[in-house]
Amino acid sequence: MAATKDRSISAALATATCALLGNSIPAAVEAQEEPNWDFNTSLLYYGEDENRVQDLSLKAIIRRLFIDDRSLTVSLTLDSLTGATPSGAIRQDVPQTFTRPSGNAAYEVPAGVLPLDDTFKDTRVALTGNWQQPVGDTSLINVGLSASSEYDYFHLGLNGRFAKDFNKRNTTVSTGISIAKDEIDPVGGVPIPFSSMLDVGDTSNRPEATQDKDVLDVVLGLTQVISRNLVVQANYSYTSESGYLNNPYKVLSIVDGTTGDTISRMGPGPLLGPSHEFVFEGRPDDRVKHSLFSQAKVYLGGKVLDASYRYMTDDWDIDSHTLDVRYRWPLSDRLFVEPHLRWYTQTEADFYRLSLVDGAPLPAFASSDYRLGAFDAITAGLKIGWKTANQNDMSVRLEWYQQAGSIPGDQLIGNQASRDNYPDLNALILQFSYRFKL
């Protein structure tokens, strides 16, 4: 069974565009005698504790260099995801039974355990292609296509970028745009927001099989060479999402307004469906995000300090701050180490709810997805890179991710205050990379 991730491929494209905006246009060089190939490959493992999400990702970036600084870049990514992910329901002191997203079976969660859907399984194939070439002596254009497919999600996107150098190539201004059309095809169909989880075999609350989502990203950037040892960059990005923005597999618990316990369901029994009252989430059908990004790269006598800061705000009332620092330290001509530290914090969405009270009017929107809640996260690790005997590049990156969330006090009802419904999340990240040219 596949499970949709709240993944926006177009958002990833916007991030890639931001990275490109930091690249100055290369100075004029003599035409290459022969075109060549550049291969950059990596294998990444991401594993969360408590048998939650596990991801094994293989990526290959192939760049064909032509004369006159033209290039074609093709990227292929294969992702295999397994494990368990929170369903959105809260812990209880008694066992809970849920209907699986397919609607064809049920599963039980023991008393005191955070409800996880253990059928999280998917394979994603993503392909991108970009063509880049100079326009005159001081400008370049980059246009590309992207597509990805997984069990219940399909993405198709188009992106473009223009950059121009000024001030003796010490200043670069850039603009990038990407548009995407995504199709969501959830297992079991698209549930009606706030409709109840039904018995096994009953899909009457899933009248539609697919939904669409449109995404627009625009990025404006400025890169400035301050001195031979310092380069700074600033970007502004605008993102607009519209269409189906729900996670079709997330639910909320309906609880007693005094005890905070989930209401027991009056039905034929736990073997045929849910033991308690659960409803599917409902989010707004549009979202606008604004981001400001700044970065500085400093050369320190052979060492390089790379520090960046990003602020994001959106009309879901989520504000986030990201601070990222890397320090590349050469140990010899062939070996370097690079410590990395990343800190992230965000506020909760204005419609984030731990649960809904039985009998109270339903809100316009509500979701208990922990990724929409308030949390802090730290990533810390080390990368080691070296030159092989044939002058190719290899590296190993090992990092530890830790996330700690919180629930607004005014949302905790009765017994909920004594239960950990936003447990800490820890994950291991291990990546092997190999780059060579032909």
Side-chain angles (χ1 to χ4, degrees), residues 76 85 110 143 152 158 162 180 351 397 401:
L76 175 64
T85 183
V143 294
D152 54 3
L158 173 68
F162 175 79
F351 56 87
R397 176 170 66 99
Y401 174 82

Side-chain angles (χ1 to χ4, degrees), residues 27 36 40 49 61 76 89 94 106 183 202 226 233 240 252 260 281 300 305 308 312 314 320 343 359 377 391 394 438:
N36 59 60
N40 197 342
D49 59 355
I61 301 175
L76 175 64
V94 296
E183 183 179 274
D202 187 349
I226 304 299
Q233 173 189 347
S240 174
L252 295 104
E281 70 163 35
L300 302 168
L305 175 65
S308 66
M312 191 282 296
D314 67 11
S320 70
W343 172 79
Q391 296 301 304
M394 293 192 71
L438 295 177

Side-chain angles (χ1 to χ4, degrees), residues 158-418:
L158 173 68
N159 62 84
R161 172 183 172 255
F162 175 79
K164 184 174 180 60
D165 275 350
F166 297 93
N167 186 27
K168 298 181 180 180
R169 297 187 180 274
N170 290 319
T171 305
T172 303
V173 293
S174 309
T175 181
I177 184 171
S178 68
I179 56 175
K181 184 76 171 182
D182 298 346
E183 183 179 274
I184 301 95
D185 184 16
V187 174
V190 179
I192 297 173
F194 300 117
S195 63
S196 297
M197 179 181 288
L198 301 177
D199 289 333
V200 172
D202 187 349
T203 58
S204 59
N205 64 340
R206 301 168 181 256
E208 297 182 354
T210 62
Q211 288 282 352
D212 296 327
K213 179 175 72 173
D214 298 315
V215 183
L216 168 68
D217 290 296
V218 179
V219 181
L220 303 175
L222 173 67
T223 302
Q224 179 65 49
V225 177
I226 304 299
S227 69
R228 66 173 59 192
N229 295 328
L230 175 61
V231 179
V232 297
Q233 173 189 347
N235 293 333
Y236 163 76
S237 63
Y238 167 89
T239 301
S240 174
E241 302 177 355
S242 61
Y244 187 77
L245 305 184
N246 292 344
N247 186 318
Y249 306 120
K250 298 297 184 184
V251 299
L252 295 104
S253 299
I254 303 297
V255 303
D256 182 278
T258 301
T259 66
D261 294 332
T262 308
I263 300 295
S264 295
R265 181 170 178 264
M266 301 300 294
L271 295 179
L272 297 178
S275 58
H276 295 73
E277 294 288 349
F278 310 107
V279 297
F280 290 95
E281 70 163 35
R283 306 184 189 186
D285 58 6
D286 56 68
R287 183 182 188 184
V288 173
K289 296 187 287 187
H290 303 272
S291 297
L292 293 175
F293 174 82
S294 60
Q295 183 179 34
K297 293 186 178 183
V298 187
Y299 180 77
L300 302 168
K303 307 175 184 66
V304 177
L305 175 65
D306 183 349
S308 66
Y309 167 76
R310 183 188 301 276
Y311 169 71
M312 191 282 296
T313 185
D314 67 11
D315 56 1
W316 286 6
D317 209 26
I318 296 177
D319 295 321
S320 70
H321 303 268
T322 308
L323 181 63
D324 194 292
V325 180
R326 301 172 190 269
Y327 187 67
R328 178 168 293 207
W329 188 343
L331 300 180
S332 69
D333 292 339
R334 303 173 63 90
L335 178 67
F336 73 86
V337 295
E338 185 178 272
H340 174 221
L341 181 64
R342 178 182 183 270
W343 172 79
Y344 176 85
T345 184
Q346 75 169 42
T347 59
E348 72 270 7
D350 56 8
F351 56 87
Y352 176 78
R353 300 288 185 274
L354 177 62
S355 59
L356 298 177
V357 175
D358 184 40
L362 286 173
F365 310 107
S367 173
S368 59
D369 190 333
Y370 72 97
R371 290 164 293 190
L372 297 178
F375 68 86
D376 301 322
I378 292 179
T379 305
L382 183 70
K383 178 180 179 180
I384 302 175
W386 63 93
K387 288 282 188 181
T388 64
N390 53 4
Q391 296 301 304
N392 294 326
D393 296 316
M394 293 192 71
S395 65
V396 177
R397 176 170 66 99
L398 179 64
E399 296 184 332
W400 182 253
Y401 174 82
Q402 187 172 56
Q403 176 181 312
S406 61
I407 298 170
D410 59 1
Q411 293 193 24
L412 296 173
I413 304 170
N415 297 325
Q416 295 176 3
S418 62

Side-chain angles (χ1 to χ4, degrees), residues 123-144:
T123 300
R124 182 176 74 100
V125 179
L127 181 66
T128 66
N130 284 80
W131 174 261
Q132 179 171 294
Q133 70 174 52
V135 179
D137 294 331
T138 60
S139 304
L140 65 78
I141 58 171
N142 186 304
V143 294

